[in-house]
Amino acid sequence: MNLRFVEAFYWAVSLKSVTRAAEKLFITQSALSSRIAALEEELGVLLLDRRDKQFRVTIVGTRFFGYAQRLLELQRQIKAELGSDAARSLLLRIGAIESVVHSWLTEWLQQMRAEHPAFELELTVETTPLLTEQVRRGTLDLVFAALPAAGEGIRTRALQPMEMVFVGHAVLHPRKRYALEDLARFELLTFQRASQPYVALLDLFRSAGIEPPRVHAISSISAMVQLVEGGFGIATLPRVAAERLAQRQPLRVLNFTDVLAPLPLHASFREDPTSTITLAALDAAAAFAGLKAPRRGASRTSGATAASSKKSMS
């Protein structure tokens, strides 16, 4: 039995789409359909119901799916124990929100490359809603986002939430300490509307009985930093990203009398019995997600925790 044919059937059923399975395996849709047809001919049964355009698995196909899972897992175990993984099995399609990109992503990828020399990366930087949809569809293997992805075959691990801070211009915002009333006099920059940082920022002012200032929704950290540099306002950013950026640009983390709600972070991935690298990558990322940017003087750790918001997040 050709395991490439088994793999084609496995991913078509897992993703409920021949098109998405073909994208996952980097082959054409017709090639994937041919592999499944060849498998059906070898077994002497129909695995997929092709009577209309709806994707349906036959009763026999549902039974064979369990065998396919076990066959591919056994293949992975044999390769891991007796030989080297194929180069394609070390390809990892990763998605991340900008907050992760500006924090620990580079160091984590350097470690991955050192521990897995054949590791090949495809990186997508997007907002949380787009990332969770892409891992659900199977076009990404692992995503780091502010909300967990949901769907059949999807697993999620909560990572260390990211501490949020106010960031101002090093010259234009020189005060040693800022209260909420002080910040109400400035225009504020945060992530897109309906994101957790945007909603939390407005809630912070309203809970204190202070009329919120003008809040600008910016989808890019790089754009927020340029606006702060130009004196446009004060931004809310993850502390680790802000402190890294402040080493190269005229920014400073403002000493704030209150606490901003932290940004939740989740790693979501689709289980793949043909690959060993996703779980290894996730374990390494979980360690990096808890790291803080180096600071001058005493180190600072945050014990803040946060529950997942039901709203879309950056």
Side-chain angles (χ1 to χ4, degrees), residues 71-121:
L71 283 169
L72 294 174
E73 175 62 22
L74 181 60
Q75 179 194 42
R76 186 196 66 77
Q77 291 175 3
I78 291 171
K79 285 184 175 182
E81 185 173 343
L82 302 179
S84 59
D85 287 335
R88 186 174 59 81
S89 69
L90 293 182
L91 172 66
L92 191 60
R93 300 170 304 170
I94 299 168
I97 55 176
E98 264 208 291
S99 294
V100 170
V101 174
H102 285 275
S103 301
W104 46 264
L105 186 75
T106 299
E107 289 84 350
W108 169 64
L109 290 175
Q110 288 172 339
Q111 177 176 305
M112 287 294 299
R113 184 173 58 184
E115 295 181 352
H116 304 275
F119 169 60
E120 183 179 343
L121 170 69

Side-chain angles (χ1 to χ4, degrees), residues 4 7-8 11 15 18-32 35 87-94 120-123 138-141 272 274:
R4 289 187 305 163
E7 184 182 36
W11 283 113
L15 300 175
V18 170
T19 301
R20 295 176 197 166
E23 292 173 354
K24 166 74 179 177
L25 298 175
F26 302 98
I27 59 176
T28 64
Q29 184 175 337
S30 60
L32 188 127
R35 291 183 184 185
R88 186 174 59 81
S89 69
L90 293 182
L91 172 66
L92 191 60
R93 300 170 304 170
I94 299 168
E120 183 179 343
L121 170 69
E122 286 186 7
L123 177 63
T139 55
L140 290 175
D141 302 313
D272 183 352
T274 66

Side-chain angles (χ1 to χ4, degrees), residues 7-197:
E7 184 182 36
F9 171 75
Y10 171 84
W11 283 113
V13 175
S14 293
L15 300 175
K16 296 182 174 61
S17 167
V18 170
T19 301
R20 295 176 197 166
E23 292 173 354
K24 166 74 179 177
L25 298 175
F26 302 98
I27 59 176
T28 64
Q29 184 175 337
S30 60
L32 188 127
S33 297
S34 296
R35 291 183 184 185
I36 295 176
L39 180 62
E40 290 176 320
E41 184 177 354
E42 181 179 355
L43 294 174
V45 295
L46 286 178
L47 301 174
L48 299 180
D49 186 345
R50 299 176 176 82
R51 287 178 295 179
D52 52 41
K53 294 184 179 181
Q54 298 296 319
F55 184 88
R56 293 191 181 92
V57 185
T58 65
I59 295 175
V60 176
T62 301
R63 290 175 56 194
F64 181 73
F65 180 74
Y67 290 113
Q69 258 183 318
R70 300 207 293 271
L71 283 169
L72 294 174
E73 175 62 22
L74 181 60
Q75 179 194 42
R76 186 196 66 77
Q77 291 175 3
I78 291 171
K79 285 184 175 182
E81 185 173 343
L82 302 179
S84 59
D85 287 335
R88 186 174 59 81
S89 69
L90 293 182
L91 172 66
L92 191 60
R93 300 170 304 170
I94 299 168
I97 55 176
E98 264 208 291
S99 294
V100 170
V101 174
H102 285 275
S103 301
W104 46 264
L105 186 75
T106 299
E107 289 84 350
W108 169 64
L109 290 175
Q110 288 172 339
Q111 177 176 305
M112 287 294 299
R113 184 173 58 184
E115 295 181 352
H116 304 275
F119 169 60
E120 183 179 343
L121 170 69
E122 286 186 7
L123 177 63
T124 298
V125 181
E126 271 294 356
T127 59
T128 284
L130 291 175
L131 293 176
T132 54
E133 173 62 17
Q134 288 184 51
V135 74
R136 188 189 67 79
R137 291 174 57 87
T139 55
L140 290 175
D141 302 313
L142 172 64
V143 300
F144 302 105
L147 280 174
E152 187 177 347
I154 301 291
R155 292 179 60 189
T156 295
R157 182 185 300 181
L159 302 179
Q160 176 74 24
M162 306 185 79
E163 180 187 0
M164 298 292 291
V165 294
F166 285 104
V167 178
H169 192 286
V171 176
L172 300 178
H173 307 107
R175 293 182 58 168
K176 292 184 178 180
R177 197 169 185 84
Y178 285 84
L180 199 59
E181 294 83 355
D182 302 321
L183 295 173
R185 298 198 298 268
F186 297 98
E187 296 192 39
L188 300 181
L189 317 172
T190 191
F191 296 112
Q192 61 268 29
R193 294 180 186 276
S195 69
Q196 184 266 359

